[in-house]
Amino acid sequence: MKANIALVIGDPAGVGPELVAKLLTDGETLKQANVFVIGNRVSMADAERATGTSLALATISQAEIGGRDFAQPVWLDWPGIDAPVFARGKADAPNGKFMLDMLTLGAQLTRDGKTDALCFAPLNKGALRAGGMRQADELRWFEDLLGSHAYTGELNVLDTLWTSRVTSHVALKDVSALLTKEGVADAAQLITTSLKASGKAEPRVAVCGLNPHNGDNGNYGSEEIDIIEPGVALARSRGIAVDGPFPADTIFVRAKNGHYDGIVTMYHDQGQIAMKLMGFERGVTVQGGLSIPVTTPAHGTAYDIAGQGVANVGAMKNAFDLACRMGMNRRTA
C-alpha cells in the first residue's frame, strides 16, 4: 500500500494551484502515494492553463478513501469543490476562509486516519486572518483545531538538514527575555522526535548560541552561560543527542558538511537566513509537534507571479516527499 496524502491546493489567489498542477503531472508522485486533492476545480483549471498541464482527475467521496491504491490523483468531493474563482493576487476574506475550510478537512481526515499526512501549498497569513483565523499563525490554528497539547514548533527542512527554534514570530528585542533552559531542551526534543518521524534513526543535533562569538565567555552577553548551556544539559538528561551551544555563524557550515542533522536556533531569522540562502527554492516547513504530519513549502504565495506558470515546484515536491515519508512512518509506528 502507498501512503494516503491529503493535498490542499493552498491560496487560490497565489501560485499554490500551479504548484499542485506541476506536482501531479510528475510521474514519481504517483508512485509514492494515493493523492486526494482538496480544492476547487476552477482554480485548478486556471492553473492547468497557466502551466500547460492537463490532469482530468476523477472525483471520489470521503467514504472511498482507504483500502486500495489509486492509479491517478483524485479530487475529494467536498462542499468547496465548485467554489467560484478567487481574485488573483489579493489577500482577502473569501480566499482566507476557503483556505481554512480546506485545511480543516485535510486535518480532520488525517486525524481520523483516513489519510496518513497533510501537505498544503503556500498560504497567505493576512488572508487567513481576514478569513477568520484568530491565532498568531497556522501552527497555533492547527493546535486548536486538533486539540494538541504537546510542545509544538515550526521546523524548517532543507534536504537533510532541519532547524527548530526556541522563539519564533516575536520582536527581536524580546528574544532574550523569552529564552529558558526548558525552551532550549523542548526545541531540541522536538527536532529529534520529528527527525525520527521522518526516518532518521539517530539524529545528531546542535544548538546555536544567541550572541556574537557565542558570547565570548560572557563578554558579549551571558545567555549562553545562564540559559543555553543548562538547556543543552537538560536535553541530554532526557536522552537527546545534542551538542552546543555553538557560534551561530559557523555551526551551519559544520552541519552543511554533514556533522549534524538538526540545529536548534534561538530566533526566527537566525536559522531562516542560513537555510534560505542555501536553498530558498527547496525548503520545506513542518508543523512540528502536532498529532499528525503536516508539511508545506517554506516559501510564500508569490502573488506577483501568480498566473504566469513560472513558479518553481522544487519546494512543493520536497514537501510532498516528506509528507509521504512521515505518513508511512506514522502508519507503521
Side-chain angles (χ1 to χ4, degrees):
M1 292 290 291
K2 297 185 289 187
N4 290 334
I5 303 297
L7 180 64
V8 168
I9 68 169
D11 189 343
V15 297
E18 297 168 45
L19 296 176
V20 170
K22 291 181 179 182
L23 176 71
L24 295 183
T25 52
D26 183 337
E28 291 302 311
T29 298
L30 309 182
K31 296 177 184 178
Q32 295 182 77
N34 300 308
V35 185
F36 304 99
V37 182
I38 302 173
N40 60 328
R41 290 190 179 100
V42 67
S43 292
M44 285 302 299
D46 282 348
E48 289 173 49
R49 284 190 289 271
T51 58
T53 57
S54 179
L55 296 173
L57 306 184
T59 303
I60 68 165
S61 69
Q62 295 180 36
E64 295 176 84
I65 300 174
R68 65 188 176 100
D69 283 340
F70 291 81
Q72 299 289 333
V74 294
W75 276 113
L76 195 60
D77 193 19
W78 73 295
I81 194 170
D82 291 318
V85 68
F86 294 88
R88 186 172 290 152
K90 289 185 63 176
D92 54 22
N95 59 315
K97 183 180 184 305
F98 186 72
M99 284 185 275
L100 292 173
D101 290 343
M102 289 189 290
L103 293 174
T104 296
L105 176 57
Q108 289 173 341
L109 290 171
T110 308
R111 177 198 63 194
D112 296 343
K114 292 184 177 180
T115 51
D116 300 307
L118 168 61
C119 179
F120 60 88
L123 309 175
N124 181 282
K125 288 181 174 59
L128 293 175
R129 293 189 186 98
M133 184 179 77
R134 298 293 173 258
Q135 295 81 358
D137 53 36
E138 58 268 34
L139 175 57
R140 307 307 164 199
W141 180 86
F142 276 120
E143 281 184 12
D144 290 344
L145 177 70
L146 297 168
S148 296
H149 302 294
Y151 177 85
T152 61
E154 190 176 274
L155 302 165
N156 292 100
V157 182
L158 181 64
D159 302 330
T160 60
L161 178 60
W162 292 51
T163 63
S164 64
R165 47 189 184 252
V166 181
T167 69
S168 188
H169 297 120
V170 300
L172 193 57
K173 66 182 177 59
D174 298 330
V175 168
S176 178
L178 293 171
L179 297 179
T180 64
K181 68 176 184 179
E182 290 81 10
V184 172
D186 288 343
Q189 187 166 354
L190 174 66
I191 197 170
T192 298
T193 301
S194 299
L195 275 160
K196 288 181 177 179
S198 75
K200 189 71 179 180
E202 297 182 359
R204 301 159 299 165
V205 175
V207 175
C208 285
L210 174 67
N211 297 296
H213 302 294
N214 218 28
D216 190 35
N217 296 313
N219 289 315
Y220 306 140
S222 63
E223 286 87 353
E224 287 77 14
I225 297 169
D226 298 338
I227 300 170
I228 303 174
E229 288 180 7
V232 170
L234 179 58
R236 287 177 180 152
S237 74
R238 298 177 183 177
I240 305 299
V242 58
D243 298 325
F246 297 103
D249 61 351
T250 58
I251 188 55
F252 279 90
V253 176
R254 296 181 65 184
K256 183 181 178 182
N257 290 335
H259 289 87
Y260 290 100
D261 307 298
I263 298 176
V264 177
T265 63
M266 296 300 111
Y267 58 91
H268 185 279
D269 285 3
Q270 190 177 47
Q272 289 289 76
I273 291 172
M275 295 287 272
K276 290 187 176 182
L277 183 63
M278 288 189 288
F280 179 77
E281 293 181 330
R282 302 197 312 276
V284 175
T285 297
V286 175
Q287 308 293 341
L290 297 174
S291 57
I292 63 172
V294 181
T295 70
T296 187
H299 62 73
T301 51
Y303 282 163
D304 58 321
I305 60 170
Q308 298 179 27
V310 297
N312 189 307
V313 73
M316 187 76 225
K317 187 176 188 313
N318 290 342
F320 180 82
D321 292 347
L322 184 54
C324 292
R325 294 205 310 272
M326 297 183 78
M328 286 304 293
N329 286 336
R330 175 193 183 213
R331 186 192 292 186
T332 58

